[in-house]
Amino acid sequence: MELRSDRMKTGPAKAPHRSLLKADGLTDEEIARPLIAVVNSANEIIPGHLNLRNVADAVKAGVRMAGGTPLEFSTIGICDGIAMNHAGMRYSLASREVIADSVELVVQAHAFDAMVLIPNCDKVVPGMLMAAARLDIPAIVVSGGPMLAGRFQGRDVDLDTVFTAVGKVRAGEMSEVELCELENAACPTCGSCAGLFTANSMNCLTEAIGMGLPGNGTIPAVYSDRIRLAKYAGMKIMELLANGITARQVMTPAAVRNAMSLDMAFGGSSNTVLHLTAIAHEAGSDITLDDWAAVSAATPNLVRVSPASEYHMQDLHAAGGVPAIMAELAKRDLIDLDAMTVTGASMGDTLAASKGADGAVIRGIEEPYYPEGGLRVLKGSLAPRGAVVKQSAVTAEMRKHTGPARVFDSEEDAVEAILGGRIVAGDVVVIRYEGPKGGPGMREMLTPTSAISGLGLANSVALITDGRFSGATKGPCVGHVSPEAAEGGPIALVEEGDPIALDIDAGTVELHVTEERLAMRRRAWSAPAPKITTGYLARYAAQVSSADRGAVV
């Protein structure tokens, strides 16, 4: 078998290269074998990364058992929870491109034959999948897995519980002593936060798009099954290499559609729309918000995990995980069973062993929570190119809402107003200049949404932004408004008190201001000065696309 790595290690001219590899401690026998990149994003900041050293060691053991030589390198990662609600969040989405670029640079420079990608948490998973599609070599993903839920006052809790509790303390419904007790209990193990937030959503979608082995999205980080999964991934990459199966042969348009269908069925984070759109772009299978809308209309919502219910990822795993959800969808021909997966077999073969829905955590296809997908694309005069709402986390009484705009040009100003008691029932909070360009970096708005919820306003106040939301967000929260304010989109023209109408069932978000008045405002509008003028974010802001195109660079 001809190897990519032969170009840098074979023949007399490559004696210097072999000398450097021997300086790494490699033997001639190890150098002669296929060289497998083990891309480990581990750091000591992100709770979801604390077990990745053990996962990487297991992957390398699997590669060696199957006759390869694993060589590990690292890439960056940012914890969205720690970066939340301050300037650090501007760097989170932007890190996705750095992750993809860094993997590309190291793999190409060293002519690796194949790679095993070890991510966890929000931007690392999509960044690595983007790199896999871009490089189109044999690749497999094995994540670090989800955190177990904590226990507080007799119920399961997670990070979102803590964010919401901040508002409860402000409202006088919880003491600071109780908040401290919750803080100590909510995140009890390593792993990606325990609900169906962005990290766990993306790890599940990795299975659906065919790039992860069954269990990748749901086996808890602290289970020994996670280590065995990593060993199998190390062995499986050698099979993919031997059979010439590359990432783009797996991440086909049909596989992307499978992932979109799963996303709608489990009602994951709205960030998945950004990330899967960007991954599809790298794979040459471009999708639009109209495609998302079509999949949502056809796909019933079968699963509700925190923040949409009291269930957590360990419950979803015990109920059968991703294969059980997809097996239900397949009953209505919503899954392409011929799609290739990194198991080396088709998706149909992968799902054949699944028992299907348990009827509780995962509902049957004929008894869904809702006949449409968990995410809904909205369009209208406020968002001509589209916006996204996690409709599975919106109560029935807030699916249609009209109220006066309360306008803020930054997240910080909005949070100050919310916690200061200046937002009242019926309001529509508008947070703008937080998009990919305007933020820059399209910050997540978990703090304002959690504050609204904690203050008891989730069933009477809507929030609309050109920024984005954490997967932990619940309530009538509309994000990804495109065009964004920094591009002169209609959201930039909203004034205090303007009536805004949200109708999730109709798929609309409308600004009730006459065209003549908007034209006057548009003539008076000018783009604000960039918030960041140096460094990476300045370059990012100059090059990034809009949210409806996946915020790709």
Side-chain angles (χ1 to χ4, degrees):
M1 177 175 61
E2 184 178 351
L3 299 172
R4 273 169 46 101
S5 59
D6 287 342
R7 71 183 69 165
M8 70 84 178
K9 69 182 185 184
T10 300
K14 298 303 187 292
H17 306 66
R18 293 191 295 275
S19 182
L20 289 168
L21 292 172
K22 289 177 180 179
D24 293 331
L26 297 184
T27 65
D28 285 323
E29 292 80 3
E30 289 173 304
I31 294 170
R33 294 172 180 169
L35 301 184
I36 309 300
V38 177
V39 189
N40 187 358
S41 60
N43 62 48
E44 295 182 345
I45 307 166
I46 304 175
H49 289 206
L50 295 185
N51 65 325
L52 295 192
R53 167 58 50 212
N54 292 337
V55 172
D57 287 344
V59 166
K60 288 186 280 189
V63 170
R64 293 190 183 102
M65 284 190 285
T69 297
L71 294 169
E72 182 180 341
F73 69 87
S74 62
T75 186
I76 66 165
I78 288 175
C79 177
D80 279 29
I82 296 173
M84 196 74 67
N85 191 32
H86 59 90
M89 179 48 73
R90 292 194 176 106
Y91 293 84
S92 175
L93 179 60
S95 73
R96 185 187 71 183
E97 319 309 311
V98 175
I99 292 162
D101 291 349
S102 66
V103 175
E104 175 192 2
L105 289 168
V106 177
V107 168
Q108 294 290 60
H110 300 101
F112 281 103
D113 297 301
M115 59 185 180
V116 181
L117 301 157
I118 308 174
N120 227 12
C121 300
D122 293 26
K123 308 310 166 301
V124 189
V125 185
M128 287 190 174
L129 285 169
M130 289 165 67
R134 187 184 302 174
L135 291 167
D136 194 27
I137 63 174
I140 190 170
V141 176
V142 56
S143 78
M147 184 184 291
L148 295 178
R151 292 288 291 176
F152 176 71
Q153 295 182 347
R155 68 187 183 98
D156 286 349
V157 294
D158 55 42
L159 182 66
D160 176 56
T161 318
V162 186
F163 272 99
T164 301
V166 174
K168 289 185 176 182
V169 170
R170 189 62 63 100
E173 297 179 8
M174 177 181 280
S175 70
E176 290 192 21
V177 172
E178 289 176 306
L179 178 62
C180 183
E181 291 173 356
L182 172 61
E183 169 189 325
N184 291 336
C187 299
T189 71
C190 63
S192 47
C193 297
L196 197 53
F197 312 144
T198 304
N200 291 325
S201 296
M202 288 306 306
N203 281 328
C204 289
L205 294 187
T206 298
E207 287 188 51
I209 207 171
M211 289 295 291
L213 296 175
N216 178 74
T218 58
I219 297 172
V222 294
Y223 283 16
S224 297
D225 277 354
R226 177 66 51 181
I227 299 303
R228 289 194 289 272
L229 185 77
K231 290 178 180 177
Y232 287 130
M235 291 186 280
K236 189 62 67 174
I237 193 64
M238 298 304 296
E239 288 183 26
L240 296 175
L241 178 62
N243 294 325
I245 299 173
T246 65
R248 286 200 184 192
Q249 291 174 272
V250 175
M251 288 192 278
T252 61
V256 170
R257 182 88 176 193
N258 283 348
M260 294 168 74
S261 296
L262 174 68
D263 199 6
M264 292 303 171
F266 68 30
S269 165
S270 58
N271 280 320
T272 56
V273 174
L274 282 175
H275 297 325
L276 197 53
T277 300
I279 293 163
H281 175 73
E282 293 284 1
S285 305
D286 285 310
I287 53 178
T288 67
L289 285 182
D290 289 338
D291 296 318
W292 280 103
V295 173
S296 178
T299 309
N301 177 217
L302 305 180
V303 174
R304 293 195 174 174
V305 170
S306 176
S309 79
E310 295 299 312
Y311 292 124
H312 288 83
M313 292 304 294
Q314 66 221 53
D315 302 310
L316 180 58
H317 179 64
V322 169
I325 305 171
M326 296 184 73
E328 286 298 314
L329 295 176
K331 294 177 181 178
R332 199 173 287 178
D333 297 325
L334 294 172
I335 297 296
D336 189 319
L337 298 177
D338 293 327
M340 172 67 71
T341 76
V342 291
T343 65
S346 69
M347 182 59 72
D349 291 334
T350 300
L351 300 183
S354 173
K355 298 178 182 178
D358 70 333
V361 181
I362 303 169
R363 289 196 176 184
I365 194 74
E366 301 301 333
E367 299 177 318
Y369 283 101
Y370 194 72
E372 294 181 355
L375 304 177
R376 183 72 187 265
V377 174
L378 309 177
K379 287 190 176 181
S381 57
L382 189 59
R385 294 211 306 261
V388 179
V389 64
K390 186 173 180 175
Q391 66 174 346
S392 60
V394 180
T395 57
E397 61 264 39
M398 287 301 291
R399 293 184 68 83
K400 181 180 289 188
H401 178 78
T402 300
R406 304 298 308 279
V407 184
F408 304 94
D409 287 349
S410 73
E411 178 190 3
E412 289 84 356
D413 289 347
V415 171
E416 181 182 356
I418 295 164
L419 294 179
R422 303 203 306 272
I423 301 302
V424 299
D427 284 346
V428 178
V429 176
V430 176
I431 306 177
R432 62 189 180 190
Y433 296 108
E434 291 286 6
K437 289 182 181 293
M442 203 178 180
R443 289 193 289 179
E444 288 184 347
M445 302 290 156
L446 180 56
T447 296
T449 61
S450 295
I452 288 170
S453 178
L455 289 166
L457 296 171
N459 291 330
S460 60
V461 170
L463 191 151
I464 297 174
T465 180
D466 55 5
R468 59 194 177 92
F469 296 114
S470 162
T473 293
K474 52 185 175 292
C477 302
V478 178
H480 305 198
V481 170
S482 300
E484 63 174 289
E487 291 184 326
I491 194 172
L493 309 178
V494 180
E495 294 185 357
E496 190 79 6
D498 284 348
I500 292 177
L502 169 66
D503 190 334
I504 295 175
D505 293 326
T508 59
V509 56
E510 304 285 356
L511 173 62
H512 287 315
V513 175
T514 65
E515 283 297 326
E516 292 78 10
R517 188 172 294 277
L518 285 178
M520 291 175 57
R521 295 178 186 178
R522 188 170 283 110
R523 287 192 293 270
W525 179 83
S526 59
K531 296 173 186 173
I532 306 290
T533 58
T534 61
Y536 175 70
L537 270 190
R539 298 195 303 273
Y540 178 84
Q543 298 174 6
V544 68
S545 73
S546 59
D548 61 299
R549 294 175 54 200
V552 296
V553 171

